[in-house]
Amino acid sequence: MAKYLLLKHYRGALEPLNCAPMDQWTPDEVAAHIGFMHDFAKRLEGTGEFVDAQALAPEGVWVQYGGEGKPPVTDGPFAETKDLIAGWMVIDVDSYERALELAGELSAAPGPGGEPIHEWLELRPFLTAPPTVTE
């Protein structure tokens, strides 16, 4: 089994086909989307492929070590993940091909009008061993 991270983006990839921002959807459209996500996760729980999933709130700041007891916190000027990443799902699957298949299914979550949003998902494998360093 190999673990993969599926990142749901607000922006940064090619424009999805049904791309109105979620704050412009009706309450029923939002509920249908979230229901799809829950049903998808429940199905993967049944196959043993689901690890975890979370939606992210838009709030957030950058934090960096700034010396003893004083981490600097800033709200920019860098592109921030709170503007980019809407949420994520971790899956544990037998193959890369299965990870691609599930990412494609998740991309079909409903959006406005109940139509699939054709969302672009970033599929990233978990690092299983540190990189080999050669001199």
Side-chain angles (χ1 to χ4, degrees):
M1 299 289 275
K3 289 186 179 151
Y4 288 87
L5 175 66
L6 302 171
L7 285 174
K8 296 175 65 62
H9 288 268
Y10 286 119
R11 60 184 173 87
L14 299 172
E15 197 71 22
L17 298 179
N18 193 8
C19 64
M22 191 177 271
D23 63 1
Q24 296 175 15
W25 298 7
T26 68
D28 288 343
E29 291 168 341
V30 171
H33 182 82
I34 292 171
F36 177 95
M37 299 296 296
H38 285 200
D39 292 345
F40 186 82
K42 189 82 162 161
R43 183 169 55 89
L44 295 186
E45 284 175 357
T47 63
E49 296 172 307
F50 179 80
V51 176
D52 194 18
Q54 297 292 324
L56 298 173
E59 299 81 25
V61 296
W62 285 93
V63 178
Q64 178 189 46
Y65 177 74
E68 193 61 40
K70 51 181 177 182
V73 177
T74 181
D75 196 33
F78 309 105
E80 299 184 53
T81 57
K82 70 182 183 185
D83 296 331
L84 300 175
I85 300 173
W88 50 268
M89 179 177 284
V90 177
I91 57 175
D92 195 359
V93 294
D94 287 328
S95 67
Y96 173 71
E97 290 74 20
R98 178 65 175 155
L100 286 175
E101 177 185 345
L102 293 175
E105 287 182 38
L106 190 57
S107 170
E115 296 296 317
I117 55 178
H118 300 270
E119 175 180 36
W120 286 94
L121 300 172
E122 185 177 348
L123 176 64
R124 305 249 335 248
F126 277 40
L127 186 63
T128 57
T132 304
V133 177
T134 59
E135 294 183 38

